Structures are given as structure tokens and as C-alpha cells.
């Protein structure tokens, strides 16, 4: 798609946005629906490109998945119901699809091959292939198994006791999914708490998994039973409007149906610490994944430090937090966030490069960035670099810009938020 002229110089944002389904939970609903026994119904499924890649892979594994308006019907026949694919499976841009799928395929007695786009081709996979190989699966890929194409010959799995070298929910989830097929109890120790959607899904599908501080235990051979899943809105998508509402003058935005799982709410804590006028519901709806409505108003912001155990709880929100920090008084420091280098792009580099083009005072560090606020944003030609979250962050930054802004590779946004611009345009007054 050609470069997109973004809306600039916006006076105020007012109105409601119903946030689309959570990407992480949508992926897992397809995966668990496929490995459970019976018919699973998923409502408010996110029809973003990444989740559609997950559906396409499971269809190639022989699972029947019917798509209707905003809901799915998945006919699962257990792990044993998956069959050897006759074609290569393409995960597109989706790290969650490829890493979690490897965990499932590790225990299946057949051969399969996984490929993805150019970005996936640069993202490290040994973090998953190493523990899965220790459990007994045969995995290989380019550069000693680190990069796609990845080939898998699954088989009989031994349980594992594994200390994760990085705080990653994708790696944890891949081992849990393999552990569900192993001969005994697997133990996974996280260096810091990461999103726990996989653990919640197992319980929702009638299985058992325990968590004691950062130690997770799961038994192999459990039978999972189909369920009905209502996917809450994605807080990582809501984050763009939370920041927009805080930095655009005279704004008030109500964000409906936002997932408020405590392993994902780091952005709320950071925004409150920075002085944001953000209302969070006190009693959250007590579904298997909590959710509620958030209200954000224009705020006077001050700088902060974002670090340590908070990082995995807001890892995907760091690009938009960097923009927020450009509008806060003082110097914001983001550290302990080396993982940003292996996301859809190297998000330390892409955030710093692109925000500088718009006039921000921001520098890259080894494990994060330093942002000096508050700065006026100007305008120019920017790029998403094919990274959905960089594209949306730049579209929000443009709202403040005095001069025209053009966004290259805007189509990347459909990976997680296909109707992002429609929702944004509805708020502009
Ligand atoms: C995800 C985990 C995170 C996150 C990604 C989605 C998941 O990745 O950045 O967008 O659904 O498990 P890591 O596990 O690599 O940190």
C-alpha cells in the first residue's frame, strides 16, 4: 500500500471506542479449541492478520474451523485429532503462532514445516527449539535451528524442569503445550511474571495447572474439554487510545470492554504514576479473563522510570509509552527492556528513529531508551517498518504534529487492529 497521509493538528478526541478482541487470547482460543474434545465457540475473536494465520495453520492440521460474524466454531478432536499437514504452514508475521504451535507439534508423531514473513525470519527460535528438543522432539531450522523455516518431527515427550532464560510468555506457553503431551509433570520457572493466558485457558478447558510464585507445574495426558470463550478487548490496542486521550487537549475517551488481566496492566500503573487522569473500574467483571471500561482524560504528565518486573507486563506498550513520555515534563527512562530488540522490529531502534523524525528528544540505550520531555512534535515522512505497533504509535503521534505526516507501510496495522483508523477517526472533533 502507498504511504498514508495521517491526520495532524487535532484539537480534541471525544467519544467511545469498543476495543477489539485480545490478540494473545484469540490465538490461544483457536489452539485450545483445536486440541480439546468437542465444539468450542469463540466470541469477539480478533480477525487480525496474525490470528487469521493461526486459523489457517490449524486448518492445515485437519481441524474444522468455521468463521461467522465475529465468532468462531472449532471442532476439536484432542491432540490426536491433528494430522500431518501436506503443505508448509505459514505463520505470516505472528511470533505467538509459530512459538506456541511448536509446543503443540513437538508431541505429534508427524513431520511439519513452519515458515513466516521476513520479520519472523529474523526472530530467534532456539529459545523454544532448545527446551522442546530436550523433551524429545526433533526440531531444526536455519542457523542451527534458530530461524525459519523450522521443521519439526514430534514424538514421545519427556517432562522437563526448565528455568526460562528470558521472561517470555511465548516460550513458557510452548513448553506448557508440550508438557500437556509429556509423560509426567513438567515444571517451568519464570524469571519474572509474564502474561498467564495459557494457564487460564487450560483451566477454562477443564484442565489443571498450578502456579506457585513464578513456578508453574503441568501434568501430561490431561483431557481438555471444549468450552465457550468470550475474548475481552485487547489492552495493548486500548493503549493507543489511552495515550491519545492523555496527550491531546480537551479530550475524554471511554474505552469499552478492555481486558484487565493483572499480568497485562503495567501500562495503567505507568500512566497513573505519570499523573494520567485515568479511571479504572474497581470491581472487575469476574470472567475467566477480567475486563472493564476505562476512561481517560487530557492529563498533565510527569516523567517516570519504567524497569524491572514491570517490563513483561507492558512489553508491547513500550512504543506508545515512549510517545507518552515525549509529552511529559522531565526525563523518562525505560530500562531492562532488551527483549524489544527481538519483536516484530528492533523496537528500540524503530521507536527512536521514527520519533526523532517527528522532533522528539529521544535516545536509544542498550536495554531501552531515554526520553526528554516535553517536546513539540513537527511532522515528516515516517515508516511503520512493517511493525503494527510502530504504525499505530506514529498515527497517534501525528495527531499532535503541526506539519503534514505521511506513514509508509500503514497496512501492517491490520496485524492486530484492522479497524484502527475507523475507530480513531470517530473520536476526532
Ligand atoms: C505474547 C507474548 C509476548 C508479546 C507478544 C504476545 C503472547 O511475547 O510481546 O506480542 O501472546 O504470549 P514474548 O513471549 O516473546 O515476550
Amino acid at each position: 500500500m502507498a504511504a498514508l497521509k495521517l491526520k495532524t493538528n487535532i484539537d480534541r478526541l471525544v467519544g467511545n471506542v469498543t476495543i477489539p478482541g485480545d490478540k494473545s487470547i484469540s490465538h490461544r482460543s483457536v489452539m485450545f479449541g483445536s486440541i480439546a474434545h468437542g465444539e468450542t465457540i469463540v466470541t469477539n475473536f480478533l480477525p487480525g492478520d496474525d490470528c487469521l494465520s493461526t486459523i489457517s495453520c490449524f486448518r492445515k492440521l485437519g481441524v474444522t474451523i468455521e468463521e461467522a460474524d465475529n465468532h468462531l466454531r472449532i471442532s476439536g478432536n484432542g491432540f490426536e485429532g491433528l494430522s500431518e499437514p501436506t503443505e508448509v504452514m505459514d505463520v505470516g508475521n505472528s511470533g505467538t503462532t509459530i512459538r506456541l504451535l511448536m509446543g503443540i507439534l513437538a508431541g505429534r508423531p508427524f513431520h511439519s514445516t513452519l515458515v513466516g514473513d521476513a520479520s519472523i525470519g529474523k526472530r530467534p527460535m532456539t529459545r523454544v527449539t532448545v527446551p522442546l528438543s530436550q523433551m524429545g522432539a526433533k526440531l531444526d531450522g536455519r542457523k542451527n535451528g534458530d530461524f525459519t523455516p523450522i521443521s519439526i518431527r514430534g514424538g514421545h515427550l519427556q517432562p522437563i524442569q526448565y528455568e526460562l532464560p528470558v521472561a517470555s510468555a511465548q516460550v513458557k506457553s510452548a513448553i506448557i503445550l508440550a508438557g500437556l503431551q509429556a509423560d509426567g509433570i513438567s515444571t517451568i520457572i519464570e524469571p519474572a511474571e509474564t502474561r498467564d493466558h495459557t494457564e487460564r485457558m487450560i483451566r477454562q478447558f477443564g484442565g489443571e495447572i498450578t502456579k506457585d510464585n513464578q513456578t508453574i507445574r503441568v501434568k501430561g495426558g490431561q483431557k481438555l474439554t471444549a468450552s465457550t470463550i468470550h475474548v475481552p478487548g485487547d489492552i495493548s490496542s486500548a493503549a493507543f487510545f489511552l495515550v491519545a486521550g492523555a496527550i491531546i487537549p480537551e479530550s475524554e475517551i471511554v474505552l469499552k470492554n478492555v481486558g484487565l488481566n493483572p499480568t497485562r496492566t503495567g501500562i495503567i500503573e505507568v500512566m497513573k504514576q505519570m499523573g494520567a487522569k485515568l479511571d479504572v473500574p474497581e470491581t472487575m467483571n469476574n470472567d475467566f479473563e477480567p475486563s472493564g471500561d476505562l476512561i481517560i482524560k487530557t492529563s498533565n504528565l510527569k516523567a517516570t522510570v519504567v524497569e524491572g518486573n514491570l517490563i513483561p507486563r507492558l512489553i508491547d506498550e513500550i512504543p506508545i509509552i515512549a510517545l507518552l513520555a515525549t509529552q511529559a515534563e522531565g526525563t523518562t527512562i525505560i530500562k531492562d527492556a532488551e527483549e524489544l530488540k527481538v519483536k516484530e522490529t528492533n523496537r528500540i531502534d524503530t521507536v527512536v528513529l521514527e520519533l526523532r523524525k517527528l522532533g522528539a528528544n529521544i535516545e536509544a540505550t542498550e536495554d531501552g531508551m531515554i526520553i526528554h520531555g516535553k517536546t513539540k512534535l513537527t511532522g515528516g515522512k515516517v515508516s511503520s517498518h512493517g511493525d503494527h505497533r510502530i504504525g499505530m504509535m506514529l498515527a497517534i503521534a501525528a495527531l499532535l504534529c503541526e506539519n503534514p505526516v505521511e506513514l509508509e507501510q500503514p497496512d501492517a496495522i491490520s496485524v492486530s487492529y484492522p479497524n484502527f483508523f475507523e475507530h480513531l477517526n470517530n473520536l476526532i472533533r
Side-chain angles (χ1 to χ4, degrees), residues 19-28 44-46 51 195 197 231-237 259 264:
I19 298 297
D22 186 279
K23 181 157 79 69
S24 292
I25 299 172
S26 293
H27 282 302
R28 287 162 172 81
N44 201 38
F45 178 79
L46 172 70
C51 301
R195 63 191 69 193
H197 306 303
V231 181
D234 197 327
I235 190 168
S236 298
S237 298
R264 296 282 299 281

PDB file of all heavy atoms in Angstrom, residues 19-28 44-46 51 195 197 231-237 259 264:
ATOM      1  N   ILE A  19     -13.068  -1.726  22.162  1.00  0.00           N
ATOM      2  CA  ILE A  19     -11.753  -2.265  21.798  1.00  0.00           C
ATOM      3  C   ILE A  19     -11.902  -3.698  21.261  1.00  0.00           C
ATOM      4  O   ILE A  19     -12.554  -4.535  21.877  1.00  0.00           O
ATOM      5  CB  ILE A  19     -10.829  -2.233  23.044  1.00  0.00           C
ATOM      6  CG1 ILE A  19     -10.629  -0.775  23.520  1.00  0.00           C
ATOM      7  CG2 ILE A  19      -9.494  -2.901  22.768  1.00  0.00           C
ATOM      8  CD1 ILE A  19      -9.938   0.135  22.539  1.00  0.00           C
ATOM      9  N   PRO A  20     -11.314  -3.978  20.105  1.00  0.00           N
ATOM     10  CA  PRO A  20     -11.419  -5.335  19.530  1.00  0.00           C
ATOM     11  C   PRO A  20     -10.714  -6.404  20.377  1.00  0.00           C
ATOM     12  O   PRO A  20      -9.899  -6.090  21.244  1.00  0.00           O
ATOM     13  CB  PRO A  20     -10.747  -5.209  18.167  1.00  0.00           C
ATOM     14  CG  PRO A  20     -10.169  -3.862  18.072  1.00  0.00           C
ATOM     15  CD  PRO A  20     -10.569  -3.048  19.242  1.00  0.00           C
ATOM     16  N   GLY A  21     -11.054  -7.640  20.074  1.00  0.00           N
ATOM     17  CA  GLY A  21     -10.597  -8.784  20.871  1.00  0.00           C
ATOM     18  C   GLY A  21      -9.085  -8.859  21.056  1.00  0.00           C
ATOM     19  O   GLY A  21      -8.311  -8.430  20.201  1.00  0.00           O
ATOM     20  N   ASP A  22      -8.702  -9.414  22.189  1.00  0.00           N
ATOM     21  CA  ASP A  22      -7.291  -9.545  22.550  1.00  0.00           C
ATOM     22  C   ASP A  22      -6.588 -10.543  21.611  1.00  0.00           C
ATOM     23  O   ASP A  22      -7.078 -11.649  21.379  1.00  0.00           O
ATOM     24  CB  ASP A  22      -7.217 -10.048  23.995  1.00  0.00           C
ATOM     25  CG  ASP A  22      -5.804 -10.090  24.511  1.00  0.00           C
ATOM     26  OD1 ASP A  22      -5.086 -11.059  24.212  1.00  0.00           O
ATOM     27  OD2 ASP A  22      -5.407  -9.147  25.209  1.00  0.00           O
ATOM     28  N   LYS A  23      -5.438 -10.126  21.122  1.00  0.00           N
ATOM     29  CA  LYS A  23      -4.697 -10.959  20.159  1.00  0.00           C
ATOM     30  C   LYS A  23      -4.184 -12.234  20.832  1.00  0.00           C
ATOM     31  O   LYS A  23      -4.352 -13.332  20.300  1.00  0.00           O
ATOM     32  CB  LYS A  23      -3.549 -10.130  19.564  1.00  0.00           C
ATOM     33  CG  LYS A  23      -2.714 -10.864  18.536  1.00  0.00           C
ATOM     34  CD  LYS A  23      -1.998  -9.895  17.606  1.00  0.00           C
ATOM     35  CE  LYS A  23      -0.748  -9.281  18.212  1.00  0.00           C
ATOM     36  NZ  LYS A  23       0.353 -10.248  18.389  1.00  0.00           N
ATOM     37  N   SER A  24      -3.558 -12.094  21.989  1.00  0.00           N
ATOM     38  CA  SER A  24      -2.991 -13.275  22.666  1.00  0.00           C
ATOM     39  C   SER A  24      -4.074 -14.295  22.997  1.00  0.00           C
ATOM     40  O   SER A  24      -3.878 -15.507  22.843  1.00  0.00           O
ATOM     41  CB  SER A  24      -2.316 -12.851  23.977  1.00  0.00           C
ATOM     42  OG  SER A  24      -1.182 -12.079  23.723  1.00  0.00           O
ATOM     43  N   ILE A  25      -5.229 -13.799  23.467  1.00  0.00           N
ATOM     44  CA  ILE A  25      -6.307 -14.712  23.871  1.00  0.00           C
ATOM     45  C   ILE A  25      -6.976 -15.310  22.631  1.00  0.00           C
ATOM     46  O   ILE A  25      -7.346 -16.489  22.620  1.00  0.00           O
ATOM     47  CB  ILE A  25      -7.313 -13.971  24.789  1.00  0.00           C
ATOM     48  CG1 ILE A  25      -6.593 -13.484  26.054  1.00  0.00           C
ATOM     49  CG2 ILE A  25      -8.496 -14.871  25.158  1.00  0.00           C
ATOM     50  CD1 ILE A  25      -7.429 -12.577  26.948  1.00  0.00           C
ATOM     51  N   SER A  26      -7.090 -14.524  21.554  1.00  0.00           N
ATOM     52  CA  SER A  26      -7.686 -15.055  20.315  1.00  0.00           C
ATOM     53  C   SER A  26      -6.852 -16.214  19.765  1.00  0.00           C
ATOM     54  O   SER A  26      -7.390 -17.261  19.395  1.00  0.00           O
ATOM     55  CB  SER A  26      -7.801 -13.951  19.261  1.00  0.00           C
ATOM     56  OG  SER A  26      -8.734 -12.978  19.677  1.00  0.00           O
ATOM     57  N   HIS A  27      -5.521 -16.047  19.712  1.00  0.00           N
ATOM     58  CA  HIS A  27      -4.658 -17.148  19.257  1.00  0.00           C
ATOM     59  C   HIS A  27      -4.906 -18.404  20.089  1.00  0.00           C
ATOM     60  O   HIS A  27      -5.069 -19.499  19.565  1.00  0.00           O
ATOM     61  CB  HIS A  27      -3.182 -16.800  19.481  1.00  0.00           C
ATOM     62  CG  HIS A  27      -2.585 -15.868  18.502  1.00  0.00           C
ATOM     63  ND1 HIS A  27      -2.556 -16.107  17.157  1.00  0.00           N
ATOM     64  CD2 HIS A  27      -1.933 -14.685  18.673  1.00  0.00           C
ATOM     65  CE1 HIS A  27      -1.923 -15.119  16.541  1.00  0.00           C
ATOM     66  NE2 HIS A  27      -1.539 -14.242  17.447  1.00  0.00           N
ATOM     67  N   ARG A  28      -4.883 -18.211  21.402  1.00  0.00           N
ATOM     68  CA  ARG A  28      -4.991 -19.370  22.299  1.00  0.00           C
ATOM     69  C   ARG A  28      -6.364 -20.022  22.208  1.00  0.00           C
ATOM     70  O   ARG A  28      -6.493 -21.222  22.397  1.00  0.00           O
ATOM     71  CB  ARG A  28      -4.669 -18.932  23.734  1.00  0.00           C
ATOM     72  CG  ARG A  28      -3.155 -18.666  23.938  1.00  0.00           C
ATOM     73  CD  ARG A  28      -2.918 -17.832  25.174  1.00  0.00           C
ATOM     74  NE  ARG A  28      -1.515 -17.692  25.535  1.00  0.00           N
ATOM     75  CZ  ARG A  28      -0.654 -16.817  24.985  1.00  0.00           C
ATOM     76  NH1 ARG A  28      -1.066 -16.023  24.001  1.00  0.00           N
ATOM     77  NH2 ARG A  28       0.598 -16.748  25.400  1.00  0.00           N
ATOM     78  N   ASN A  44     -16.201 -12.592  19.964  1.00  0.00           N
ATOM     79  CA  ASN A  44     -15.320 -11.420  19.939  1.00  0.00           C
ATOM     80  C   ASN A  44     -13.885 -11.781  19.559  1.00  0.00           C
ATOM     81  O   ASN A  44     -12.929 -11.143  20.007  1.00  0.00           O
ATOM     82  CB  ASN A  44     -15.349 -10.666  21.278  1.00  0.00           C
ATOM     83  CG  ASN A  44     -14.891  -9.232  21.122  1.00  0.00           C
ATOM     84  OD1 ASN A  44     -15.188  -8.577  20.127  1.00  0.00           O
ATOM     85  ND2 ASN A  44     -14.138  -8.733  22.092  1.00  0.00           N
ATOM     86  N   PHE A  45     -13.751 -12.807  18.721  1.00  0.00           N
ATOM     87  CA  PHE A  45     -12.441 -13.202  18.186  1.00  0.00           C
ATOM     88  C   PHE A  45     -11.865 -12.037  17.379  1.00  0.00           C
ATOM     89  O   PHE A  45     -12.592 -11.357  16.655  1.00  0.00           O
ATOM     90  CB  PHE A  45     -12.641 -14.426  17.279  1.00  0.00           C
ATOM     91  CG  PHE A  45     -11.379 -14.906  16.633  1.00  0.00           C
ATOM     92  CD1 PHE A  45     -10.473 -15.670  17.347  1.00  0.00           C
ATOM     93  CD2 PHE A  45     -11.097 -14.591  15.308  1.00  0.00           C
ATOM     94  CE1 PHE A  45      -9.306 -16.125  16.756  1.00  0.00           C
ATOM     95  CE2 PHE A  45      -9.925 -15.039  14.710  1.00  0.00           C
ATOM     96  CZ  PHE A  45      -9.035 -15.805  15.433  1.00  0.00           C
ATOM     97  N   LEU A  46     -10.565 -11.805  17.498  1.00  0.00           N
ATOM     98  CA  LEU A  46      -9.923 -10.721  16.742  1.00  0.00           C
ATOM     99  C   LEU A  46      -9.608 -11.187  15.315  1.00  0.00           C
ATOM    100  O   LEU A  46      -8.775 -12.075  15.124  1.00  0.00           O
ATOM    101  CB  LEU A  46      -8.616 -10.311  17.432  1.00  0.00           C
ATOM    102  CG  LEU A  46      -7.749  -9.323  16.638  1.00  0.00           C
ATOM    103  CD1 LEU A  46      -8.405  -7.952  16.580  1.00  0.00           C
ATOM    104  CD2 LEU A  46      -6.352  -9.226  17.230  1.00  0.00           C
ATOM    105  N   CYS A  51      -4.060 -13.541  13.870  1.00  0.00           N
ATOM    106  CA  CYS A  51      -4.962 -14.594  14.359  1.00  0.00           C
ATOM    107  C   CYS A  51      -5.506 -15.401  13.185  1.00  0.00           C
ATOM    108  O   CYS A  51      -5.751 -16.608  13.311  1.00  0.00           O
ATOM    109  CB  CYS A  51      -6.082 -13.982  15.195  1.00  0.00           C
ATOM    110  SG  CYS A  51      -5.416 -13.067  16.600  1.00  0.00           S
ATOM    111  N   ARG A 195       2.462 -12.785  30.958  1.00  0.00           N
ATOM    112  CA  ARG A 195       1.015 -12.973  30.754  1.00  0.00           C
ATOM    113  C   ARG A 195       0.641 -14.440  30.957  1.00  0.00           C
ATOM    114  O   ARG A 195       1.354 -15.342  30.493  1.00  0.00           O
ATOM    115  CB  ARG A 195       0.584 -12.439  29.385  1.00  0.00           C
ATOM    116  CG  ARG A 195       1.182 -13.129  28.227  1.00  0.00           C
ATOM    117  CD  ARG A 195       0.911 -12.362  26.922  1.00  0.00           C
ATOM    118  NE  ARG A 195       1.643 -11.106  26.892  1.00  0.00           N
ATOM    119  CZ  ARG A 195       1.427 -10.125  26.028  1.00  0.00           C
ATOM    120  NH1 ARG A 195       0.485 -10.226  25.124  1.00  0.00           N
ATOM    121  NH2 ARG A 195       2.139  -9.021  26.069  1.00  0.00           N
ATOM    122  N   HIS A 197      -2.286 -16.098  30.068  1.00  0.00           N
ATOM    123  CA  HIS A 197      -3.484 -16.525  29.327  1.00  0.00           C
ATOM    124  C   HIS A 197      -3.505 -18.037  29.061  1.00  0.00           C
ATOM    125  O   HIS A 197      -4.572 -18.639  29.045  1.00  0.00           O
ATOM    126  CB  HIS A 197      -3.580 -15.784  27.991  1.00  0.00           C
ATOM    127  CG  HIS A 197      -3.522 -14.298  28.115  1.00  0.00           C
ATOM    128  ND1 HIS A 197      -4.412 -13.580  28.885  1.00  0.00           N
ATOM    129  CD2 HIS A 197      -2.663 -13.382  27.580  1.00  0.00           C
ATOM    130  CE1 HIS A 197      -4.110 -12.295  28.801  1.00  0.00           C
ATOM    131  NE2 HIS A 197      -3.059 -12.146  28.030  1.00  0.00           N
ATOM    132  N   VAL A 231     -13.747 -13.455  24.218  1.00  0.00           N
ATOM    133  CA  VAL A 231     -12.445 -12.771  24.225  1.00  0.00           C
ATOM    134  C   VAL A 231     -12.650 -11.308  24.635  1.00  0.00           C
ATOM    135  O   VAL A 231     -13.406 -10.588  23.972  1.00  0.00           O
ATOM    136  CB  VAL A 231     -11.786 -12.837  22.820  1.00  0.00           C
ATOM    137  CG1 VAL A 231     -10.427 -12.161  22.833  1.00  0.00           C
ATOM    138  CG2 VAL A 231     -11.680 -14.278  22.329  1.00  0.00           C
ATOM    139  N   PRO A 232     -11.996 -10.850  25.706  1.00  0.00           N
ATOM    140  CA  PRO A 232     -12.117  -9.431  26.070  1.00  0.00           C
ATOM    141  C   PRO A 232     -11.307  -8.565  25.118  1.00  0.00           C
ATOM    142  O   PRO A 232     -10.483  -9.072  24.348  1.00  0.00           O
ATOM    143  CB  PRO A 232     -11.522  -9.390  27.485  1.00  0.00           C
ATOM    144  CG  PRO A 232     -10.557 -10.520  27.543  1.00  0.00           C
ATOM    145  CD  PRO A 232     -11.090 -11.589  26.609  1.00  0.00           C
ATOM    146  N   GLY A 233     -11.515  -7.254  25.168  1.00  0.00           N
ATOM    147  CA  GLY A 233     -10.768  -6.321  24.323  1.00  0.00           C
ATOM    148  C   GLY A 233      -9.286  -6.337  24.697  1.00  0.00           C
ATOM    149  O   GLY A 233      -8.910  -6.667  25.818  1.00  0.00           O
ATOM    150  N   ASP A 234      -8.463  -5.966  23.723  1.00  0.00           N
ATOM    151  CA  ASP A 234      -7.010  -6.058  23.902  1.00  0.00           C
ATOM    152  C   ASP A 234      -6.467  -4.780  24.538  1.00  0.00           C
ATOM    153  O   ASP A 234      -6.506  -3.707  23.927  1.00  0.00           O
ATOM    154  CB  ASP A 234      -6.369  -6.284  22.524  1.00  0.00           C
ATOM    155  CG  ASP A 234      -4.948  -6.800  22.627  1.00  0.00           C
ATOM    156  OD1 ASP A 234      -4.247  -6.429  23.594  1.00  0.00           O
ATOM    157  OD2 ASP A 234      -4.540  -7.571  21.743  1.00  0.00           O
ATOM    158  N   ILE A 235      -5.921  -4.897  25.740  1.00  0.00           N
ATOM    159  CA  ILE A 235      -5.365  -3.712  26.413  1.00  0.00           C
ATOM    160  C   ILE A 235      -4.195  -3.141  25.610  1.00  0.00           C
ATOM    161  O   ILE A 235      -3.941  -1.932  25.640  1.00  0.00           O
ATOM    162  CB  ILE A 235      -4.968  -4.019  27.885  1.00  0.00           C
ATOM    163  CG1 ILE A 235      -4.638  -2.724  28.625  1.00  0.00           C
ATOM    164  CG2 ILE A 235      -3.827  -5.023  27.961  1.00  0.00           C
ATOM    165  CD1 ILE A 235      -4.521  -2.843  30.119  1.00  0.00           C
ATOM    166  N   SER A 236      -3.517  -3.994  24.829  1.00  0.00           N
ATOM    167  CA  SER A 236      -2.402  -3.494  24.017  1.00  0.00           C
ATOM    168  C   SER A 236      -2.914  -2.624  22.870  1.00  0.00           C
ATOM    169  O   SER A 236      -2.202  -1.742  22.392  1.00  0.00           O
ATOM    170  CB  SER A 236      -1.585  -4.660  23.460  1.00  0.00           C
ATOM    171  OG  SER A 236      -1.027  -5.399  24.521  1.00  0.00           O
ATOM    172  N   SER A 237      -4.158  -2.852  22.421  1.00  0.00           N
ATOM    173  CA  SER A 237      -4.779  -1.981  21.413  1.00  0.00           C
ATOM    174  C   SER A 237      -5.359  -0.744  22.090  1.00  0.00           C
ATOM    175  O   SER A 237      -5.240   0.374  21.579  1.00  0.00           O
ATOM    176  CB  SER A 237      -5.897  -2.730  20.678  1.00  0.00           C
ATOM    177  OG  SER A 237      -5.361  -3.837  20.005  1.00  0.00           O
ATOM    178  N   GLY A 259      -9.612  -5.851  28.360  1.00  0.00           N
ATOM    179  CA  GLY A 259      -9.083  -6.931  29.197  1.00  0.00           C
ATOM    180  C   GLY A 259      -8.188  -6.335  30.282  1.00  0.00           C
ATOM    181  O   GLY A 259      -7.329  -5.498  29.989  1.00  0.00           O
ATOM    182  N   ARG A 264      -1.141  -7.975  32.466  1.00  0.00           N
ATOM    183  CA  ARG A 264      -1.092  -7.127  31.263  1.00  0.00           C
ATOM    184  C   ARG A 264      -1.268  -5.637  31.569  1.00  0.00           C
ATOM    185  O   ARG A 264      -1.254  -4.833  30.633  1.00  0.00           O
ATOM    186  CB  ARG A 264      -2.212  -7.554  30.297  1.00  0.00           C
ATOM    187  CG  ARG A 264      -2.100  -8.959  29.749  1.00  0.00           C
ATOM    188  CD  ARG A 264      -1.087  -9.080  28.652  1.00  0.00           C
ATOM    189  NE  ARG A 264      -1.391  -8.250  27.490  1.00  0.00           N
ATOM    190  CZ  ARG A 264      -2.286  -8.563  26.541  1.00  0.00           C
ATOM    191  NH1 ARG A 264      -2.928  -9.713  26.603  1.00  0.00           N
ATOM    192  NH2 ARG A 264      -2.507  -7.761  25.517  1.00  0.00           N
TER     193      ARG A 264
END
